[in-house]
Amino acid sequence: MTVMTEPRASPQVSPCLPDFRVVVRIDSWESTSVYPNGHFVRVLGRIRDLEGEIAAILVENSISVLPFSEAQMCEMPVNTPENPWKVSPEEEQERKDLRKSHLVFSIDPKGCEDVDDTLSVRTLHNGDLELGVHIADVTHFVAPNSSIDIEARTRATTYYLADRRYDMLPSVLSADLCSLLGGVDRYAVSIMWELDKTSYEIKKVWYGRTIIRSAYKLFYEAAQELLDGNFSIVDDIPEFRDLDEKSRQAKLEELVWAIGKLTDIARHVRAKRDGCGALELEGVEVRVQLDEKKNIHDLIPKQPLEVHETVAECMILANHWVAKKIWESFPHQALLRQHPPPHQEFFSELRECANAKGFFIDTRSNKTLADSLDNANDPNDPIVNRLLRSMATQAMSNALYFSTGSCEEEEFHHYGLALDKYTHFTSPIRRYSDIVVHRLLLAAISKEKKMEIKGNLFSNKDLEELCRHINNRNRAAQHSQKQSTELFQCMYFKDKDPDTEERCISDGVIYSIRTNGVLVFIPRFGIKGAAYLKNKDGLVISCGPDSRSEWKPGSLQRFQNKITSTTTDGESVTFHLFDHVTVRISVQASRCHSDTIRLEIISNQPYKLPNTELFHQGSPLLKSELVKEVTKSVEEAQLAQEVKVNIIQEEYQEYCQTKGRSLYALLEEIRDLALLDVSNNYGI
């Protein structure tokens, strides 16, 4: 576990460690003592220093980011200017070559290096359409039970934090030979469907290994502009820059047709799933943006685009068809992904909140829930529907990997996607589950062709154990990503004076009522948190004629959809669900935990933007540029410090970490779920 140290710490802790985060190992805990016994392991870094805080997040989630070993790197293929990698003649004979016959392209976030998937669509000779999903053939380079395979299995996933990532595979694979970059030959595992030209119904499906050459490496915003008919974005697409006007126009028309046709197909596929009860849920993902001085300039919630859904639907379709294929071939040892129906009691708050706005949410099935959420729209406030969908998301069970031999077929169902069978096949660069699924698919193809199956597949027992491990690592990845986003939110606000800085004042929406406060969502920054209506001195919030708040003696009275604050002199103010309020954002420092965002209601009226364009977002930085900027900023900060601390630090010493989720992480999660009374022991 990680702890913070102070100058007045116990005698066993070195006096040279003030303001540092350290790792300690608990050795024992006497029944007669309120304190455990343990020993110091190593220093992680300074409290509130970026690298020290990131290191603490990794340790708390049992995430190892040691460099790949020499033995592992020796198994990697070579691709250098002196010795470039090439497609082998043997693979050309065995694989279907799509380099000249198919327009293949990728659509990913800006700066994406690990391109797992590409798409294609074309018209066949009979007038029908062919849709293709082409996924990086990682298993060609990662042999079963090799050193790199064992390491990837241990890591289980790539860990994405707010400003960086820690790869499951070495960069020679993840960012190069397995990444389906534009203009280079790559091995892929493909699924291609023949679709009816008008109804888009699937007539045939083909699975197999291919060779592709992606023509374009598009980013989401560029693809959306092309879909919308804004062709000026072509100047930002490198593949068009050196073309003459005639070639440029011809290729542009070809690409625009392909994106448009993919979108039409995706709409059809989505409509079919919607008819079965597929859910559209809400999550807030925040991008960190730095200014020229390497400081955090802005926190920008990512905006959804239709092209996001286009790509997602194609990937969902591929995952679904692969799930069916591997289950048919290996009914007792296929790796699938299940999403069980949520418990009805988890929807109680969602139903109550919707009822406060006059909406009825029917949660009897995924179909009725999806329809209810679609109908729960307030034309005057689109935030209401977003919050209701977010509450539905919170009520859901987690989707989990499992072995098909461990449960009955009726339990395979994926509730959120409304599919009877589902797996993960489309991201083998960053998910070990997908590597397992690729091997199963290739084995199924060999079995169908009556060929020898290369390599041993996992037994049901071994696969179930592996699924437990991957599920555990996925939870760690999700939790670390959430923690890192919260870290950057605190770093963004920590140097700003909440009393004078205009960015610290924002509009908030109340989405839950508690005993001594409310939970508020800040759309501007994607922040959710508690705002207390009663402070530690027992004073309650009061809003005068000018709507500005102040603290006065009084009491709170909570109702189902509202909470009323009444002062001793008779003034009262009531806050309802989905009310817009003005919130002050600040950072609450802690010596025992990470810093947290503090929200304070300063007016019971919505926040009005000033006339100036205060929230101009500017151009987003590429992810790779962001990593460089953050690293450079940290290095400069370290050079500027003149503090010399003599600490004996064994950087590479191995230390024991308790398996599974740490007690610290569990307590932090409980703290996140609770909004405790600041004046007494009653939770709100």
Side-chain angles (χ1 to χ4, degrees):
M1 65 181 291
T2 59
V3 298
M4 296 190 181
T5 60
E6 294 181 295
R8 59 179 180 274
S10 62
Q12 288 81 3
V13 178
S14 169
C16 298
L17 296 177
D19 300 320
F20 279 86
R21 280 192 178 276
V22 301
V23 177
V24 298
R25 173 78 175 174
I26 295 178
D27 299 318
S28 62
W29 199 326
E30 299 293 335
S31 60
T32 56
S33 173
V34 295
Y35 299 108
N37 298 312
H39 65 271
F40 166 83
V41 178
R42 65 182 175 115
V43 173
L44 293 175
R46 286 187 174 276
I47 297 172
R48 299 186 186 91
D49 172 75
L50 175 63
E51 295 306 317
E53 296 295 340
I54 291 291
I57 289 172
L58 297 176
V59 169
E60 286 170 8
N61 291 283
S62 304
I63 297 173
S64 171
V65 292
L66 293 174
F68 291 99
S69 70
E70 184 177 346
Q72 291 158 2
M73 295 306 296
C74 284
E75 296 177 351
M76 295 296 94
V78 176
N79 187 29
T80 63
E82 301 77 26
N83 187 16
W85 178 86
K86 296 178 182 178
V87 172
S88 73
E90 296 79 14
E91 292 296 327
E92 280 186 315
Q93 292 294 320
E94 294 184 6
R95 294 173 181 263
K96 181 175 284 192
D97 194 338
L98 309 181
R99 288 175 288 184
K100 295 180 180 179
S101 57
H102 289 63
L103 174 67
V104 177
F105 56 93
S106 62
I107 306 176
D108 286 289
K110 270 190 175 180
C112 178
E113 296 175 349
D114 50 345
V115 182
D116 289 282
D117 54 88
T118 54
L119 299 164
S120 68
V121 62
R122 64 173 183 159
T123 303
L124 300 174
H125 296 302
N126 62 2
D128 285 338
L129 295 170
E130 181 192 74
L131 169 65
V133 172
H134 315 281
I135 307 301
D137 189 358
V138 173
T139 58
H140 173 81
F141 299 98
V142 179
N145 296 317
S146 61
S147 295
I148 196 62
D149 181 56
I150 294 170
E151 178 64 23
R153 191 186 313 161
T154 301
R155 298 189 181 202
T157 183
T158 291
Y159 298 93
Y160 291 90
L161 305 189
D163 67 321
R164 67 191 73 191
R165 75 169 192 262
Y166 296 103
D167 290 324
M168 183 182 76
L169 295 169
S171 60
V172 67
L173 295 183
S174 62
D176 190 5
L177 294 181
C178 288
S179 186
L180 307 181
L181 305 171
V184 292
D185 295 343
R186 289 292 181 261
Y187 295 150
V189 179
S190 301
I191 309 178
M192 291 184 283
W193 300 268
E194 183 178 335
L195 310 176
D196 183 270
K197 60 185 175 184
T198 54
S199 67
Y200 298 146
E201 291 300 316
I202 295 172
K203 291 184 172 183
K204 299 177 185 176
V205 61
W206 179 90
Y207 307 85
R209 278 179 147 158
T210 56
I211 303 172
I212 66 168
R213 182 183 298 147
S214 178
Y216 304 98
K217 184 177 180 290
L218 301 175
F219 54 95
Y220 282 118
E221 292 79 6
Q224 187 64 49
E225 292 290 342
L226 293 177
L227 183 62
D228 294 340
N230 181 9
F231 302 142
S232 60
I233 194 69
V234 168
D235 295 333
D236 295 334
I237 302 175
E239 291 86 352
F240 283 101
R241 288 176 187 162
D242 298 328
L243 297 176
D244 61 75
E245 188 59 35
K246 185 177 180 180
S247 300
R248 181 181 174 125
Q249 189 60 35
K251 287 185 174 293
L252 177 59
E253 290 177 2
E254 181 185 38
L255 179 59
V256 170
W257 177 87
I259 295 173
K261 189 56 67 175
L262 281 174
T263 302
D264 286 343
I265 295 170
R267 289 170 183 158
H268 169 79
V269 173
R270 174 72 199 197
K272 287 190 69 174
R273 289 200 304 109
D274 284 345
C276 296
L279 297 171
E280 181 181 345
L281 301 177
E282 180 70 28
V284 179
E285 191 175 356
V286 178
R287 185 176 71 244
V288 180
Q289 192 179 62
L290 304 183
D291 61 17
E292 295 177 354
K293 296 181 180 179
K294 324 296 186 302
N295 297 315
I296 300 173
H297 171 65
D298 213 343
L299 299 172
I300 305 172
K302 294 183 179 178
Q303 299 302 316
L305 303 171
E306 183 176 17
V307 75
H308 288 147
E309 189 169 307
T310 297
V311 175
E313 284 302 327
C314 292
M315 298 305 117
I316 291 170
L317 185 67
N319 289 332
H320 174 52
W321 279 80
V322 169
K324 292 197 296 183
K325 181 70 174 178
I326 62 176
W327 174 75
E328 288 167 0
S329 297
F330 307 106
H332 302 295
Q333 57 189 120
L335 188 153
L336 299 189
R337 189 163 174 82
Q338 63 184 173
H339 185 211
H343 297 288
Q344 286 299 307
E345 58 266 27
F346 294 168
F347 285 123
S348 58
E349 186 174 16
L350 169 64
R351 288 191 291 261
E352 291 171 5
C353 290
N355 187 58
K357 273 288 183 178
F359 301 124
F360 172 69
I361 302 295
D362 188 344
T363 61
R364 289 176 299 170
S365 70
N366 54 355
K367 173 68 171 135
T368 59
L369 175 59
D371 291 342
S372 299
L373 290 172
D374 288 342
N375 293 327
N377 276 302
D378 184 341
N380 299 317
D381 191 359
I383 295 295
V384 171
N385 189 261
R386 288 183 60 189
L387 285 171
L388 292 176
R389 291 184 185 276
S390 179
M391 292 178 194
T393 304
Q394 295 299 316
M396 295 293 163
S397 308
N398 288 325
L400 298 170
Y401 298 109
F402 71 101
S403 172
T404 52
S406 64
C407 60
E408 298 298 325
E409 186 179 348
E410 53 265 25
E411 298 176 27
F412 293 2
H413 187 75
H414 196 291
Y415 178 85
L417 296 176
L419 294 170
D420 60 339
K421 294 176 184 67
Y422 191 70
T423 192
H424 274 163
F425 159 77
T426 53
S427 296
I429 290 176
R430 59 186 179 88
R431 293 189 302 231
Y432 191 76
S433 57
D434 300 48
I435 291 179
V436 176
V437 169
H438 273 236
R439 289 172 180 157
L440 284 164
L441 177 61
L442 295 172
I445 295 169
S446 296
K447 183 178 180 181
E448 190 175 60
K449 295 179 179 178
K450 300 189 182 332
M451 297 170 58
E452 180 185 357
I453 297 176
K454 297 178 181 178
N456 295 323
L457 301 178
F458 286 105
S459 67
N460 173 58
K461 181 181 177 182
D462 291 340
L463 184 58
E464 189 61 23
E465 185 176 340
L466 176 61
C467 288
R468 279 195 293 271
H469 167 69
I470 296 175
N471 290 332
N472 175 276
R473 292 294 81 213
N474 281 347
R475 282 191 291 269
Q478 292 164 3
H479 196 229
S480 61
Q481 187 174 40
K482 176 177 177 286
Q483 286 179 293
S484 70
T485 299
E486 291 169 349
L487 168 64
F488 272 87
Q489 287 172 341
C490 289
M491 293 183 70
Y492 176 70
F493 287 106
K494 73 174 182 179
D495 295 325
K496 295 176 172 58
D497 185 343
D499 295 320
T500 60
E501 176 63 54
E502 287 182 295
R503 283 180 182 264
C504 293
I505 309 299
S506 190
D507 188 61
V509 185
I510 295 172
Y511 70 92
S512 188
I513 306 294
R514 294 293 188 263
T515 302
N516 67 338
V518 294
L519 300 183
V520 180
F521 172 56
I522 313 290
R524 171 67 185 89
F525 300 109
I527 292 173
K528 288 182 178 179
Y532 293 103
L533 303 183
K534 187 175 185 180
N535 66 14
K536 62 179 67 176
D537 297 321
L539 304 178
V540 299
I541 196 168
S542 172
C543 295
D546 61 352
S547 301
R548 308 302 292 179
S549 68
E550 56 181 319
W551 298 103
K552 292 183 178 181
S555 61
L556 297 176
Q557 188 174 10
R558 177 191 177 188
F559 302 92
Q560 185 173 359
N561 300 320
K562 63 183 180 180
I563 185 169
T564 298
S565 172
T566 305
T567 65
T568 53
D569 55 12
E571 297 177 359
S572 69
V573 58
T574 299
F575 297 92
H576 298 82
L577 278 174
F578 302 112
D579 276 356
H580 284 250
V581 293
T582 301
V583 178
R584 178 187 289 123
I585 308 169
S586 60
V587 176
Q588 184 160 340
S590 170
R591 295 296 307 174
C592 302
H593 302 284
S594 302
D595 292 349
T596 56
I597 291 291
R598 180 172 179 264
L599 303 180
E600 180 185 359
I601 296 175
I602 60 173
S603 170
N604 63 344
Q605 296 297 313
Y607 176 63
K608 292 183 172 60
L609 288 171
N611 293 328
T612 56
E613 185 59 40
L614 177 63
F615 296 137
H616 177 66
Q617 293 184 353
S619 301
L621 293 175
L622 294 179
K623 192 173 185 181
S624 57
E625 293 173 349
L626 181 61
V627 174
K628 293 176 184 177
E629 294 284 3
V630 172
T631 304
K632 186 175 180 181
S633 175
V634 171
E635 290 174 350
E636 289 177 353
Q638 289 173 341
L639 290 173
Q641 291 178 354
E642 297 181 355
V643 179
K644 295 183 179 179
V645 182
N646 297 319
I647 303 173
I648 300 174
Q649 192 174 346
E650 297 181 15
E651 291 287 349
Y652 302 104
Q653 180 179 353
E654 292 186 1
Y655 61 95
C656 260
Q657 182 74 16
T658 304
K659 284 190 175 182
R661 303 178 65 190
S662 65
L663 176 62
Y664 184 90
L666 180 61
L667 293 174
E668 278 287 87
E669 187 169 311
I670 293 171
R671 187 174 65 89
D672 289 342
L673 295 173
L675 178 55
L676 301 179
D677 194 323
V678 294
S679 59
N680 55 44
N681 293 327
Y682 296 102
I684 70 172

